[in-house]
Amino acid sequence: MSTRVQFDDLEIGEIAIDLDASEPDEVLDWAFDTFGQDEIAVVTALQAEGMVMLDMAVQVRPDIRVLTVDTLMLPQATYEYIDTVREHYPTIRLEVIKPDLEQVTAMEHANGRDFFTQSVPNRLTCCSVRKVQPLVGALRSVDAWITGLRREQWASRAAIRKVELDHDHDGIVKLNPLADWASDEVWDYLRDHEVPTHPLYAQGYTSIGCDPCTRPITEGEDDRAGRWWWETGAPKECGIHCPIETGGFEHEAHALLGADQ
Ligand code: SF4
């Protein structure tokens, strides 16, 4: 059994400063030099940014672990796209994580299948059960995770660093190598490297999640405006990438669910 690689806030702060101006591949090089074969994974909902990270990671580590969450509510196009990704990257170890079925059934039985549309707390509860908790469980198997987060995606992401200590997930390291990339850079990369992209982008979607909670945006709208579009004033976050200082939505949803969930 390998020894866990751990950092404290001071160490990771210094590394973050060192790597702040680094290119994504340099951040990945540091990560792969630091963490073992099975102790690091790309975590992605297979959207554009995540596919950039996956493609970059494969160049260095062909058998990279890739974790994605199947909430059991994804669009059919996403399930088909998962097959496309497997075919395009036959060497990756793609793990599709699912929620606890008993918990999902109990949640729907108690509240109704569409309860998540009725309030922000309800929605956060659904996201917690279907997405956040399954991922929290999966992250216990790694010392570091790689995301495709970018600062300009949403206000709650504006201060992310390329390397962070993730206090919401047992103090593991969270890598955001694309933190300072613009959307154009993402799409230029995907085109230049012939990376297959989620088919719903061609239908006007700019951020893709669960089927009932995602729609295409209209001209002038923010890229994440199609997520939970019926909500006003709530951050377009599900709790996976919540503010590190507070534990954010994950803790709120946990309180709503009760201590035994
Ligand atoms: Fe539930 Fe919608 Fe969150 Fe998916 S995005 S987990 S359906 S509330």
Side-chain angles (χ1 to χ4, degrees):
M1 191 170 165
S2 60
T3 306
R4 189 165 181 207
V5 179
Q6 278 188 300
F7 294 92
D8 61 29
D9 284 302
L10 187 61
E11 291 168 330
I12 220 68
E14 288 172 351
I15 293 164
I17 291 169
D18 284 348
L19 291 176
D20 194 55
S22 300
E23 294 298 322
D25 58 336
E26 295 171 316
V27 178
L28 285 180
D29 284 344
W30 174 82
F32 289 145
D33 285 345
T34 305
F35 301 99
Q37 186 90 351
D38 294 322
E39 286 74 35
I40 187 166
V42 173
V43 178
T44 173
L46 307 178
Q47 298 190 50
E49 289 82 358
M51 291 306 296
V52 171
M53 292 322 313
L54 195 165
D55 191 80
M56 284 185 182
V58 166
Q59 311 309 321
V60 185
R61 193 171 277 186
D63 63 344
I64 181 75
R65 284 182 74 192
V66 180
L67 310 181
T68 193
V69 179
D70 173 8
T71 61
L72 309 178
M73 296 283 264
L74 301 178
Q76 182 56 33
T78 299
Y79 293 109
E80 291 164 10
Y81 181 54
I82 288 172
D83 293 337
T84 302
V85 171
R86 283 191 197 282
E87 285 166 21
H88 192 78
Y89 300 102
T91 57
I92 65 171
R93 291 177 288 158
L94 178 59
E95 302 171 30
V96 180
I97 304 154
K98 296 180 193 273
D100 182 311
L101 257 186
E102 273 186 33
Q103 206 176 5
V104 169
T105 304
M107 177 177 69
E108 291 190 346
H109 185 72
N111 302 292
R113 190 168 164 80
D114 295 336
F115 82 110
F116 54 84
T117 63
Q118 292 160 10
S119 70
V120 173
N122 281 7
R123 191 266 286 177
L124 294 173
T125 300
C126 186
C127 285
S128 177
V129 169
R130 290 183 179 275
K131 286 191 206 178
V132 179
Q133 292 183 38
L135 185 62
V136 166
L139 288 177
R140 291 198 185 104
S141 69
V142 298
D143 293 343
W145 58 311
I146 302 164
T147 84
L149 295 188
R150 293 186 298 110
R151 291 177 187 138
E152 67 172 33
Q153 280 172 319
W154 194 253
S156 55
R157 301 179 179 184
I160 60 170
R161 308 188 86 170
K162 293 184 182 175
V163 185
E164 299 178 334
L165 214 51
D166 186 352
H167 290 293
D168 287 330
H169 300 107
D170 295 330
I172 62 174
V173 172
K174 184 175 184 180
L175 296 136
N176 309 306
L178 300 184
D180 55 1
W181 271 30
S183 178
D184 285 354
E185 292 176 275
V186 171
W187 286 97
D188 286 350
Y189 180 97
L190 294 169
R191 189 182 55 253
D192 293 348
H193 294 79
E194 300 182 345
V195 176
T197 54
H198 196 299
L200 288 183
Y201 283 118
Q203 295 180 32
Y205 289 73
T206 47
S207 178
I208 302 158
C210 292
D211 194 41
C213 301
T214 311
R215 71 174 185 185
I217 62 167
T218 55
E219 202 173 332
E221 281 188 314
D222 183 275
D223 275 1
R224 284 182 72 79
R227 305 291 290 276
W228 312 290
W229 67 91
W230 61 86
E231 294 178 355
T232 52
K236 303 288 187 187
E237 298 282 8
C238 66
I240 287 176
H241 302 295
C242 49
I244 286 172
E245 298 81 12
T246 62
F249 293 155
E250 187 180 328
H251 296 168
E252 186 174 346
H254 185 71
L256 289 162
L257 282 164
D260 58 340
Q261 296 291 316

